[in-house]
Amino acid sequence: MPESPSTVTMLFWAVLVLATLLLACWLLRLSARRADLTPQRRQFLATIGGALLACAIWSLYHLASFSPAGGFGTRHPGIMLGVSLVVAMVGCGVAVGNVALLIDKQASSKASNGIDALTGLQTRSQLEISIRNSIRRCGPEGRFAVALVDLDRFKGVNDTLGHEVGDLILRQTAQRLRTVVGPRETLARISSDEFLAVLPKIEQEGALSTICRKILHAVSEPLTVGSHKLHITSSIGVAVYPDDGADVSTLLRKVDTALDRAKAAGRGDFRIFNPEVDKALLERLALENDLRHALGRNEFLLAYQPEFDLQTGEVVSMEALLRWRRPTGEFISPAKFIPVAEETGVIVPLSQWVLETACRELNALRSSLEYSPRFAVNLSPRQFQQDNLVEMIISTLEKYQVAPGNLELEITEGSLMDDPEKAAFSLQRLRQHGIATAIDDFGTGYSSLSYLRRFPIDKLKMDRAFVTDIQVDKDSAALAESILRMAHQLGLKVVAEGVELPEQLDLLRHLRCDAAQGFLLARPMFLPELTGFLLDHQEKG
């Protein structure tokens, strides 16, 4: 009868077997759950896990047999123990490893057959086939919609919490979409975080909006992952067959455009494709592309609008205004291309071009006049925030031999308030060099003079909104009078913009406005016309 082992020996074997079993289970789980593993690495982990599992089972079978008297023994003494252990480990390891490899092959087979391995949905290639089939079934008289669902800021969640959490979110999203769309309808995962659904039942008015809202609500339901409670929102773009496209590529392009609109609107919402918006978007893209090349093609030029002293009638300054003339002779409105230039950053080199061109042209104008004309140039918010702004301006003035006192810079209220400390420092440096500054379109931004005490400003240009009805509206006249009184108390001069009627001019004189600018006095002029105008004005003066 085998000798009964000690309690310590039994505990040792029990702990060893349990540890082996836990390690085997961990390796097998790792090989099954980690989506980022290569097939070779997955097979290796599964083989090791299978071998350890066999070792644990072998240990329980051979070493944990008890005799009727309670003794501890083995079933197969001698060399058979080692042989049976090796056979069990190799056999089980190879078997489990091959099963893991087979699973990978099945997943690859699904992907090649148009099935996404992670979510079980269709892939993009299979989706295109499904849409073509839907087009054939519907014919020219039928209608269906395609909805592109994008998870908002999914990449940030994926990078922060890891791919396992990201995969769980994608699987959960796929299940929720399937619940809303229906088990028989086409649903695909076409990129990392984008899903596309074909929605055939849109006959009733409002049905499309209703299902989009259901999708938004379903995706945004809280999702608990470990200790994290996540709220994932989505944006949806929708296009309709055949209204928005009669083929797959056109529908997918239109649905992309609609999704871009949903994202631009702030995300977490849906947009249905709108042909007019699409047309405007294409025009905007074309304008942006032309704008990027217009400077190199010499398509820009400057017009100058004089500013008059209301007491003496003299021209006190000339504002340089940017104009864009295409090769066809067509002029593009500044209201149309300036915002695009601001958004794309083209405004920075464009503003530099304006300053250099104004310096060069007005330096040439000086030779025709008996005095050096004073001119004003608008600074964009982006340009005003440049660290080398003052150095760039001084260098340009020196290059064209223009005195700093002949330059006036016009900036917006928003430019000052984006970074007040930096703005105050830049304005102070400009004043030290003798360059004057003015607030353009005053009253359309912060509409307060209190902050102006912080900045070394010389002039306010009162926005045309305060001038348009000044002669007939008492409130407009009162506002203009208040601006003038407060500005004069701060030692600032005021220029009224947009003066177009004699009655407006007379009232501004009565209110002691310093200067005025507008079509009534002079329209913007190109350099040759400006030269003649100033010479005539000089002779009359």
Side-chain angles (χ1 to χ4, degrees), residues 163-179:
H163 291 285
E164 288 189 10
V165 173
D167 289 347
L168 179 60
I169 293 172
L170 292 173
R171 285 194 292 267
Q172 185 69 35
T173 300
Q175 294 172 8
R176 293 176 176 182
L177 290 175
R178 176 55 73 196
T179 301

Side-chain angles (χ1 to χ4, degrees), residues 302-306 522-531 533-534:
L302 291 182
Y304 300 89
Q305 186 171 27
R523 290 177 175 271
M525 295 169 276
F526 297 116
L527 186 61
E529 185 183 359
L530 176 68
T531 303
F533 176 86
L534 292 177

Side-chain angles (χ1 to χ4, degrees), residues 188-374:
R189 179 185 174 215
I190 63 172
S191 70
S192 172
D193 57 349
E194 286 186 338
F195 300 83
L196 194 140
V198 176
L199 310 173
K201 300 176 182 179
I202 57 168
E203 292 84 3
Q204 297 180 355
E205 186 176 353
L208 192 53
S209 298
T210 299
I211 194 169
C212 286
R213 293 191 182 94
K214 287 182 179 180
I215 291 173
L216 292 173
H217 176 73
V219 174
S220 64
E221 284 290 315
L223 177 64
T224 302
V225 182
S227 59
H228 303 283
K229 191 172 185 179
L230 305 177
H231 294 267
I232 305 295
T233 61
S234 61
S235 301
I236 305 175
V238 182
V240 178
Y241 168 87
D243 303 352
D244 302 326
D247 57 85
V248 176
S249 60
T250 303
L251 281 172
L252 294 181
R253 180 172 60 83
K254 298 295 180 64
V255 81
D256 268 330
T257 300
L259 178 61
D260 289 340
R261 286 178 51 220
K263 291 180 179 180
R267 301 177 186 270
D269 203 353
F270 71 93
R271 289 291 183 272
I272 300 173
F273 178 79
N274 185 319
E276 292 301 319
V277 174
D278 183 52
K279 180 181 177 182
L281 180 61
L282 291 175
E283 290 177 352
R284 160 65 186 259
L285 293 174
L287 180 68
E288 181 180 327
N289 182 65
D290 291 344
L291 184 61
R292 292 184 184 277
H293 298 93
L295 191 57
R297 295 170 181 166
N298 297 318
E299 295 179 10
F300 291 106
L301 58 161
L302 291 182
Y304 300 89
Q305 186 171 27
E307 177 185 305
F308 295 84
D309 187 301
L310 287 186
Q311 303 305 317
T312 66
E314 293 295 322
V315 175
V316 294
S317 181
M318 292 166 293
E319 182 181 2
L321 301 171
L322 185 62
R323 296 292 184 261
W324 180 10
R325 182 173 59 193
R326 282 180 163 164
T328 58
E330 175 195 9
F331 279 92
I332 308 299
S333 169
K336 189 174 182 180
F337 74 82
I338 291 295
V340 178
E342 287 278 4
E343 293 175 19
T344 58
V346 176
I347 195 67
V348 175
L350 200 51
S351 297
Q352 173 66 23
W353 179 89
V354 170
L355 178 60
E356 291 205 8
T357 303
C359 287
R360 184 181 67 252
E361 292 186 346
L362 294 177
N363 191 33
L365 180 63
R366 183 171 53 187
S367 61
S368 303
L369 304 173
E370 297 178 356
Y371 62 94
S372 297
R374 185 184 180 92

